[in-house]
Amino acid sequence: MASSNPIRRRFTLFTSFLILFFFFHHSMATPRKLAAIVKQQPLVLNYHNGPLLNGNVTVNLIWYGKFTPSQRAIVVDFLNSVNSPSSSSSPSVSSWWRTIGKYYGGQRDVVLGDHQVLDEHYSLGKSLKTTHLEALAYKSATRGKSSVVVVLTSADVAVEGFCMNRCGTHGAGKGKNGKIAYAWVGNSVSQCPGQCAWPFHQPIYGPQTPPLVAPNGDVGMDGMIVNLATVLAGTVTNPFKNGYFQGSVNAPLEAVSACTGIFGAGAYPGYPGEVLVDKTTGASYNAFGVNGRKYLVPAMWDPETSTCKTIV
């Protein structure tokens, strides 16, 4: 039964306050001791024994909407950089991709397919649902177990769920040539750059630090590269929802999405980490590509160390 004595109650509250103050002050002064007590659990993406995309992975592109030739070149050069050892500079996009070789099945090579589609007349309109993305992908699917159709939508195209809970996605289904994997990424520059083009734009929420300068001079397209890298790695290592992932099968953390927001050493929420900076343009990057390109690629989960691996 609680005491009815007001003096005793006040003394008890004051004593409790002193204890809390002492604990707070002591904990702020000894963060290392607290860190030792509260240890982060290792990040583990379990392999669910399903088929992965192996060998030469053919990527066919669908450009839905208006893209300039220079914008398309940014994406094409990125995909050609994934396997290319031609860049003499390090770190490179290909060294980033080599982590994929540590997943079951070994190294995969990305091959840009000949089947590129330019849909500049918005054949399905400017407001697309997931079923529209699937329909576009199924039309352009090619034969072969290791192939993926990537639908890229321009800045004036709205896509179901875009900016609300996703910047890109991947899935699978049965097309005219059998079971296929597909992916989608949208240009967010006029819809939600603070969400889908970060760190090249100030974020919608969180610390409002100055954005990084886009390495190819196009916030929308450089943001698309980050998201394309994310869904491409996810498609290869979890194409049919039974590959590598953590969490729910319908909202999985995958090879790159498990490492969201990490681009260099020392990254934390709101800070992408230590990356390279071009002395002439001030652009930020962490990987060299073909044709003199520079890119910012996200960290990828390394199955050998169970950590998010960066290349700078």
Side-chain angles (χ1 to χ4, degrees), residues 1 5 32 39-40 45 65 68 91 98 179 181 191 197 239 241-242 259 269 272 298 310:
M1 184 173 181
N5 188 325
R32 290 184 180 178
K39 292 184 179 180
Q40 284 189 331
L45 304 189
T68 65
R98 276 199 291 272
K179 199 171 186 180
Q191 298 183 55
K241 295 187 176 182
N242 53 8
C259 304
T310 60

Side-chain angles (χ1 to χ4, degrees), residues 177-304:
N177 294 320
K179 199 171 186 180
I180 67 159
Y182 73 91
W184 157 75
V185 175
N187 187 330
S188 67
V189 69
S190 60
Q191 298 183 55
C192 55
Q195 180 177 339
C196 294
W198 185 85
F200 306 120
H201 191 281
Q202 284 186 295
I204 298 175
Y205 307 108
Q208 297 299 300
T209 54
L212 304 183
V213 177
N216 293 286
D218 190 316
V219 169
M221 295 306 298
D222 279 301
M224 287 186 80
I225 292 298
V226 172
N227 298 317
L228 175 58
T230 301
V231 298
L232 184 60
T235 304
V236 169
T237 58
N238 187 32
F240 308 117
K241 295 187 176 182
N242 53 8
Y244 282 90
F245 67 90
Q246 182 189 77
S248 168
V249 67
N250 294 316
L253 293 177
E254 300 177 322
V256 171
S257 62
C259 304
T260 297
I262 302 174
F263 296 90
Y268 54 82
Y271 173 60
E274 298 175 8
V275 296
L276 303 173
V277 178
D278 188 288
K279 294 180 179 179
T280 302
T281 65
S284 295
Y285 65 98
N286 60 8
F288 292 92
V290 300
N291 295 327
R293 294 280 187 191
K294 296 181 177 71
Y295 293 102
L296 190 71
V297 293
M300 187 185 300
W301 184 74
D302 186 333
E304 289 185 353

Side-chain angles (χ1 to χ4, degrees), residues 148-170:
V148 54
V149 179
V150 178
V151 181
L152 303 167
T153 53
S154 59
D156 57 346
V157 176
V159 177
E160 181 181 24
F162 191 25
C163 298
M164 296 177 63
N165 54 20
R166 61 182 184 176
C167 304
T169 190
H170 73 89

